[in-house]
Structure formats: C-alpha cells, structure tokens
Amino acid sequence: FRGGAELLFDGVKKHQVTLPCQPEPWDIRNLLKWIKENLLKERPELFMQGESVRPGILVLINDADWELMGELDYKLQDQDNVLFISTLHGG
C-alpha cells in the first residue's frame, strides 16, 4: 500500500499474506473482499467502492497495471505482488 493508502491499514505498507484454501482459484475480486475483512482497519469507503477499489486507487500486479491483467478477474498466482497506490491527495 502506497500513496497514503497504507494509512487505512494501520500505516503498514507491506503485508505478506497466505490466503486460505478454497475450491476455486483466488482472483482479485476475492482478494479485495478478503483484504476488506482482514486487513482494512478504517474508512473502507476510501479504499473500496462496491466490489472493486475506488477510483483513484492504482492497482499493480507484478509491476503491471491491472487493466492489462484482467482487473477483478485476474487469477492470482503463487508469489504475486499486488500493489495499491492512492493517487488521491487532499489540498
């Protein structure tokens, strides 16, 4: 989490997580739900909108824009690095 997004997660920028086993492969949609339930500490409306991230949150999967990877439908692979960067700044 970068660009201020980490403030919603107790200021912790990096989380190494092991996702629980489930019948279907994990995708970003399920990951976001898991993050909301397990890591997000405050003001979920600043991170999530519906089942996706809010506009202004850049999502990178292994340093590539998630739009190139299928966004919410991207199937997570072992050792994937998912980065959330807030581009929203107060003024």
Side-chain angles (χ1 to χ4, degrees):
F1 300 97
R2 299 284 190 272
E6 69 275 7
L7 299 174
L8 304 173
F9 298 87
D10 275 348
V12 179
K13 291 184 176 187
K14 186 173 184 175
H15 297 263
Q16 181 90 19
V17 299
T18 301
L19 298 169
C21 291
Q22 64 178 29
E24 298 176 18
W26 280 86
D27 58 21
I28 295 293
R29 180 178 285 106
N30 291 325
L31 175 65
L32 288 171
K33 182 178 176 185
W34 186 90
I35 287 172
K36 182 178 180 182
E37 294 171 356
N38 295 279
L39 298 179
L40 190 58
K41 301 298 183 189
E42 60 181 88
R43 305 195 58 194
E45 71 277 5
L46 294 180
F47 184 71
M48 301 279 303
Q49 184 173 1
E51 65 180 13
S52 189
V53 293
R54 179 204 145 131
I57 304 285
L58 176 64
V59 182
L60 301 178
I61 302 169
N62 300 321
D63 297 325
D65 191 323
W66 76 325
E67 292 178 359
L68 302 172
M69 311 292 280
E71 296 183 3
L72 293 172
D73 295 323
Y74 173 77
K75 303 289 187 229
L76 291 167
Q77 306 295 314
D78 191 34
Q79 301 298 315
D80 271 348
N81 183 38
V82 182
L83 180 62
F84 300 93
I85 304 171
S86 175
T87 62
L88 304 173
H89 301 284

